[in-house]
Amino acid sequence: MKAKAFKIAEGVYWVGVLHWNGRTFHGYSIPGTTYNAYLVFGEEKTVLIDNVYRNLSDQLYARIEDAFAQEGKEIQIDVFVQNHSEMDHSTYLHETIEKYNPKAEIYASANCAKFLEQQYHNFSDLKINTVATGDEIDIGGRTLSFISAPMLHWPDSMFTFLVEDGILFSNDAFGQHVCYSERYDEDYSLDILGWEAQKYYANLVTLGSPMARMKLQELTDNGIVEQIKMIAPCHGQIWKNPGYILDLYTKWASGVCKDKITVIFDTMHHSTEKLAFQIAEGIMSEGVEVVMYSMETDGPDDVITDILESKAIAIGAPTMMNKPFPRIGSMMYWLDCVNFAVTNSVKNALIFSSKGWGGGAVAKLQKNLEEAGFNVTDSLDIFFVPDEDVLTEAFEKGAQLARSIKE
């Protein structure tokens, strides 16, 4: 096929792929995505940073060859840098090395080298130079500096910094699952990109928030943040205005939230739904923002995105066979996986439920929420269909939850 490489700086090209029809990844819904790889031309060596996902190598190879054509050079890649071994960034790494230079130098973290072999079982025949923070390579007039970034978002992750140009190749950190024809952040609405970056962080990076805080502080203390002119992640748009996404990551990693409450519910015969709507009215009566999700139709990934910046949640499910209604289970597993408490934000939670006779949903939800790091402040457990007195009680509990986040 034919595809054009996109120049992001003199001698630096985006050679990634567009996955226009991707609709799910990492277990959540996406509007398409990109798998970004980058080609850097030094005076002495040419470097490919990262790779792409299955069934998409034709785009990668076409863009690599176009970049060499734009530079007027014969095709030979001298150095391969692999920032992370996950398959969406490494599927064709071995094949690309064989195709463009079997004798090339390869650089990766120690964990990345190990993980590549464990995933593909064909890397033991290649010599991989393992690197960590402070290691550098000179490619002729240009320096690549490596920065260990474990748990952003795998133990093998690292960043590569092109020192002279101020470009941080950050792999999964600072990414977004979007698929657009233009490459930069400034080409699209920051409202949309900010939401997609927030969704990406909430679902994939939250658990690594302690490391994100440490890494952001380290980059600041070492003077690297002030040198960054561009952030080139492995998914989505390239940040020509890096301060925007750096500020967002600082906020998310530190648990900075809005006066906002996310209401999540499922329902059988609409009784729990009625409680949810009244609780939302109570919250709004205190001037606090509400977002509402029904697990019958909404996905946990979007819920998680809003919870990231919420100071509290209200979660409700009817009792079914002495347990919460099963569809709420996916939500609870998701909350336990991401564990927002690691952001240094302990969020309040209100539990509500409608039962027929014995109940059981509230106790189970409380246990699950506490294990996921939430502070359960109140609950409402009713029989069957709420009457006006119960609806008034639900309103008041919503108002009290709202007041609790402002205290």
Side-chain angles (χ1 to χ4, degrees):
M1 70 172 292
K2 187 173 179 62
K4 188 174 178 62
F6 184 85
K7 183 185 286 190
I8 65 173
E10 283 302 316
V12 184
Y13 293 82
W14 172 84
V15 292
V17 304
L18 302 168
H19 194 184
W20 295 103
N21 58 334
R23 291 297 177 266
T24 182
F25 201 78
H26 295 107
Y28 69 85
S29 60
I30 61 173
T33 193
T34 64
Y35 305 107
N36 300 334
Y38 302 93
L39 201 62
V40 181
F41 290 89
E43 294 172 1
E44 299 170 5
K45 297 176 181 178
T46 301
V47 183
L48 179 66
I49 300 175
D50 293 316
N51 207 270
V52 302
Y53 205 24
R54 58 176 179 257
N55 301 322
L56 295 166
S57 60
D58 285 353
Q59 282 190 59
L60 172 68
Y61 298 152
R63 294 190 207 282
I64 287 172
E65 290 162 21
D66 180 72
F68 275 97
Q70 290 188 50
E71 289 291 308
K73 295 184 176 181
E74 293 186 7
I75 299 172
Q76 178 174 298
I77 298 174
D78 305 291
V79 177
F80 290 83
V81 171
Q82 195 64 32
N83 282 324
H84 172 40
S85 69
E86 194 172 1
M87 288 185 175
D88 55 323
H89 308 302
S90 66
T91 295
Y92 296 99
L93 176 59
H94 201 289
E95 179 180 290
T96 309
I97 293 169
E98 291 181 341
K99 182 178 178 69
Y100 292 117
N101 187 359
K103 297 181 179 179
E105 302 168 32
I106 309 166
Y107 293 88
S109 71
N111 270 329
C112 184
K114 179 173 71 174
F115 291 173
L116 286 168
E117 176 58 27
Q118 289 174 336
Q119 290 176 89
Y120 298 104
H121 310 292
N122 65 351
F123 276 84
S124 59
D125 62 328
L126 297 177
K127 181 182 183 301
I128 299 178
N129 301 290
T130 57
V131 291
T133 298
D135 292 331
E136 295 181 343
I137 58 171
D138 183 350
I139 60 172
R142 281 181 153 152
T143 308
L144 294 177
S145 179
F146 303 111
I147 303 165
S148 299
M151 302 317 300
L152 294 176
H153 70 131
W154 274 25
D156 67 331
S157 298
M158 73 176 187
F159 303 157
T160 299
F161 188 49
L162 183 56
V163 176
E164 290 78 8
D165 297 81
I167 302 175
L168 183 71
F169 300 99
S170 61
N171 199 266
D172 274 329
F174 312 115
Q176 335 92 53
H177 282 306
V178 295
C179 189
Y180 297 139
S181 60
E182 304 294 335
R183 301 273 54 82
Y184 294 129
D185 56 335
E186 64 186 16
D187 296 318
Y188 298 96
S189 165
L190 281 181
D191 288 340
I192 294 173
L193 283 187
W195 170 259
E196 293 297 341
Q198 181 174 329
K199 184 173 184 177
Y200 190 95
Y201 187 99
N203 286 275
L204 295 175
V205 186
T206 294
L207 193 61
S209 290
M211 178 54 69
R213 292 193 297 272
M214 291 172 57
K215 192 55 54 178
L216 288 166
Q217 190 61 54
E218 176 190 313
L219 294 177
T220 300
D221 292 345
N222 291 343
I224 293 175
V225 165
E226 64 187 28
Q227 298 177 52
I228 297 174
K229 299 176 182 176
M230 186 184 296
I231 296 178
C234 262
H235 292 293
Q237 302 305 101
I238 297 166
W239 301 99
K240 286 186 74 176
N241 302 291
Y244 176 80
I245 191 63
L246 288 168
D247 288 346
L248 287 179
Y249 263 58
T250 299
K251 178 181 75 173
W252 296 331
S254 303
V256 176
C257 297
K258 298 179 178 179
D259 281 350
K260 172 178 173 178
I261 296 174
T262 301
V263 179
I264 313 123
F265 74 95
D266 209 332
T267 195
M268 292 172 65
H269 299 296
H270 302 287
S271 293
T272 310
E273 178 184 73
K274 291 177 181 178
L275 296 176
F277 292 172
Q278 278 299 102
I279 287 167
E281 290 293 338
I283 295 168
M284 290 186 293
S285 75
E286 294 291 327
V288 171
E289 180 184 355
V290 172
V291 287
M292 177 81 71
Y293 287 99
S294 166
M295 300 319 298
E296 180 178 6
T297 54
D298 297 324
D301 45 314
D302 285 326
V303 184
I304 291 292
T305 307
D306 269 312
I307 292 176
L308 177 65
E309 62 177 9
S310 297
K311 289 183 179 178
I313 67 169
I315 187 163
T319 294
M320 180 175 172
M321 292 176 279
N322 305 314
K323 299 290 191 301
F325 195 50
R327 274 195 306 241
I328 209 75
S330 176
M331 188 70 250
M332 298 312 300
Y333 275 118
W334 216 281
L335 288 173
D336 193 40
C337 281
V338 299
N339 200 329
F340 287 107
V342 299
T343 67
N344 288 337
S345 168
V346 179
K347 303 174 188 295
N348 289 345
L350 165 67
I351 304 169
F352 56 98
S353 178
S354 170
K355 62 189 176 186
W357 45 94
V362 169
K364 178 66 173 174
L365 289 173
Q366 178 160 348
K367 182 176 184 292
N368 292 156
L369 285 169
E370 289 173 347
E371 289 174 347
F374 287 83
N375 176 36
V376 179
T377 59
D378 203 355
S379 64
L380 178 60
D381 196 11
I382 72 159
F383 287 102
F384 289 107
V385 180
D387 59 17
E388 285 302 317
D389 288 342
V390 169
L391 291 175
T392 298
E393 184 180 5
F395 181 98
E396 292 301 330
K397 285 187 180 291
Q400 177 54 45
L401 182 65
R403 289 193 291 271
S404 78
I405 68 172
K406 297 191 288 185
E407 292 172 354

